[in-house]
Amino acid sequence: FEDGTGYWEVWAPIRPKKGPALGAVRMEVSLQAAASLGNAVWKIMAVAGLATITCLILVLSYFLRRTIQNDRKLRLTENENVNLSAQLRDAERQLVMKEKLAVMGQLTASFAHEIGTPLNAMGGHLDLLRGDLVKEGAKESWMRRLDILRDQLQKIENIVKGFLQSTAKPVTQFQLLDLNKVMDKTLQIVSPRLDAMGVRLDKSLDNRLGPVRAVPLDVEQVLLNLLNNSLDSLQSKRRAMPAHASRLEVFSRYRREGLAEWVELGVLDTGTGIPRKDLERVFEPFYTTKAVGEGTGLGLTICREILEKYQGRLEIESKEGAWTKVTLRMPYGANA
Ligand SMILES: Nc1ncnc2c1ncn2[C@@H]1O[C@H](COP(=O)(O)OP(=O)(O)OP(=O)(O)O)[C@@H](O)[C@H]1O
Ligand SMILES: [Mg+2]
């Protein structure tokens, strides 16, 4: 003590099995006071008392340690529970999606079958018409439009055929693709609509893109869906705000991080945008904000499924009332 007299100090640390001590119980006994005790009996009693108190302190510190550890375990278990319920909710959502897709699969099987016959007839008649027009010496621009029609019809036929064959074996016409060319070709398909709506188109295509191994129809189908979504959105904004300047931006980018290399293709429009609360839902099958007959709500679901085949991803960002940007990522060397 400060007055020079000695004291006896008892420390009992509160220590978890691993790691540093959490705290300690401490007791001081004045030696002066102990020495001043008159006879030996008192001294023995004092020592015995002290020993009892020491034991009590040790027991107390043991129980304190247990309580603190139990409290920690409880908090860990609570966190685990929260994680598990989030995982459960996710699994439930995916299950509902898969069920919807299964129903869709059955419906489309008969749909695809029934659609095949009229498609064949249309293709045949378009070829005949082309022959007639060539004989009549029709304008070059008419023939170009006819070729686009034939090309598009062929695509529908391929999709239908691909679907009907998909139960047997997947269509595998993989090619090394220049994605910039695929983007240009897809833009050509929507160009009549772009022109009719007076949309300003900005293109920034990265010429460092190397070829990507993919089925051309897959990439075209994804891009076509994205471009049509953007044009739909620009159109509906134009209806509400006729003076609004419609702008569409398409881009491609070569990206590299460490050993990973991938391509980004994107479509950005200055249309209606998507409210934050609906952003997660746009990939759900049958989710649409379009009128009956104008949208099925399957476009983005199909795009995502196609990209999964290439270990690719589709990401959507938006600001309600202002813009929407959809980015598609395809890794090089994915063994699709
Ligand atoms: N560029 C975009 N701008 C604004 N909203 C969009 C855009 N792209 C998608 N959406 C929203 O996401 C919904 C789902 O899109 P998705 O392409 O899956 O279906 P859809 O376009 O409604 O119908 P479908 O493509 O089958 O004809 C759309 O109805 C729309 O509300
Ligand atoms: Mg769509």
Side-chain angles (χ1 to χ4, degrees):
F1 289 121
E2 270 171 17
D3 61 5
T5 57
Y7 64 92
W8 190 9
E9 196 178 63
V10 181
W11 280 85
I14 307 169
R15 190 190 297 281
K17 282 203 180 100
K18 282 181 197 156
L22 302 167
V25 181
R26 175 169 170 261
M27 194 185 75
E28 288 170 5
V29 178
S30 160
L31 291 179
Q32 203 75 21
S36 71
L37 287 173
N39 58 48
V41 178
W42 278 110
K43 278 186 185 161
I44 290 167
M45 276 177 70
V47 169
L50 220 55
T52 316
I53 292 171
T54 310
C55 286
L56 278 176
I57 288 174
L58 286 174
V59 170
L60 193 69
S61 86
Y62 171 77
F63 280 112
L64 269 174
R65 193 184 81 194
R66 286 283 297 270
T67 315
I68 291 171
Q69 276 176 347
N70 283 348
D71 186 53
R72 270 193 184 165
K73 270 191 204 150
L74 198 68
R75 258 178 291 154
L76 274 178
T77 322
E78 267 171 15
N79 281 349
E80 268 171 25
N81 276 349
V82 171
N83 279 346
L84 280 177
S85 1
Q87 277 175 16
L88 198 68
R89 268 200 309 277
D90 243 30
E92 264 171 12
R93 259 218 327 256
Q94 282 186 8
L95 204 67
V96 171
M97 276 228 211
K98 288 257 179 305
E99 272 169 14
K100 280 186 179 178
L101 284 175
V103 173
M104 186 192 100
Q106 286 160 7
L107 284 177
T108 5
S110 59
F111 187 67
H113 187 258
E114 293 306 305
I115 237 172
T117 326
L119 277 181
N120 273 340
M122 281 165 76
H125 281 281
L126 268 184
D127 290 341
L128 291 175
L129 184 63
R130 195 178 200 289
D132 290 345
L133 285 175
V134 169
K135 266 190 236 145
E136 298 289 325
K139 277 201 281 184
E140 187 57 29
S141 60
W142 293 7
M143 304 303 284
R144 265 210 312 277
R145 294 223 185 286
L146 201 67
D147 288 341
I148 289 183
L149 279 180
R150 189 69 187 93
D151 199 36
Q152 292 305 297
L153 201 66
Q154 188 62 53
K155 260 186 208 128
I156 305 179
E157 279 182 326
N158 287 346
I159 292 171
V160 171
K161 261 193 223 144
F163 184 83
L164 290 174
Q165 286 167 5
S166 65
T167 43
K169 61 176 178 339
V171 198
T172 48
Q173 316 127 316
F174 280 91
Q175 290 177 22
L176 284 176
L177 293 182
D178 176 346
L179 293 187
N180 286 340
K181 279 207 183 123
V182 181
M183 177 66 96
D184 273 332
K185 194 171 166 212
T186 322
L187 281 170
Q188 238 181 351
I189 295 169
V190 294
S191 73
R193 204 174 162 203
L194 275 173
D195 295 344
M197 287 171 58
V199 175
R200 192 181 110 195
L201 172 69
D202 292 323
K203 261 198 306 185
S204 57
L205 302 182
D206 188 342
N207 53 22
R208 293 170 307 165
L209 293 193
V212 172
R213 212 174 92 82
V215 178
L217 195 71
D218 280 348
V219 187
E220 276 172 39
Q221 205 180 339
V222 173
L223 289 178
L224 202 57
N225 266 307
L226 302 187
L227 289 170
N228 274 329
N229 277 351
S230 285
L231 290 176
D232 288 347
S233 168
L234 288 171
Q235 200 165 17
S236 97
K237 185 155 178 183
R238 190 63 80 72
R239 261 185 243 132
M241 305 167 64
H244 182 260
S246 303
R247 200 168 72 79
L248 186 74
E249 193 184 310
V250 298
F251 61 86
S252 68
R253 256 187 245 132
Y254 166 79
R255 300 290 305 270
R256 178 180 184 164
E257 250 170 48
L259 288 178
E261 284 181 297
W262 69 96
V263 181
E264 275 179 11
L265 291 181
V267 178
L268 188 152
D269 64 72
T270 57
T272 57
I274 303 168
R276 184 179 279 267
K277 66 174 176 34
D278 296 332
L279 260 186
E280 267 192 22
R281 302 200 56 203
V282 296
F283 293 107
E284 280 178 22
F286 302 112
Y287 172 81
T288 182
T289 52
K290 294 170 192 171
V292 178
E294 278 179 26
T296 60
L298 289 174
L300 290 177
T301 313
I302 292 171
C303 290
R304 195 170 244 194
E305 293 243 313
I306 290 177
L307 281 171
E308 271 174 18
K309 193 161 114 184
Y310 298 96
Q311 280 120 61
R313 281 213 320 257
L314 199 61
E315 274 168 20
I316 189 157
E317 298 156 79
S318 184
K319 185 166 191 309
E320 189 178 0
W323 54 265
T324 303
K325 178 176 162 190
V326 188
T327 313
L328 168 174
R329 294 191 168 84
M330 268 174 89
Y332 283 101
N335 40 0

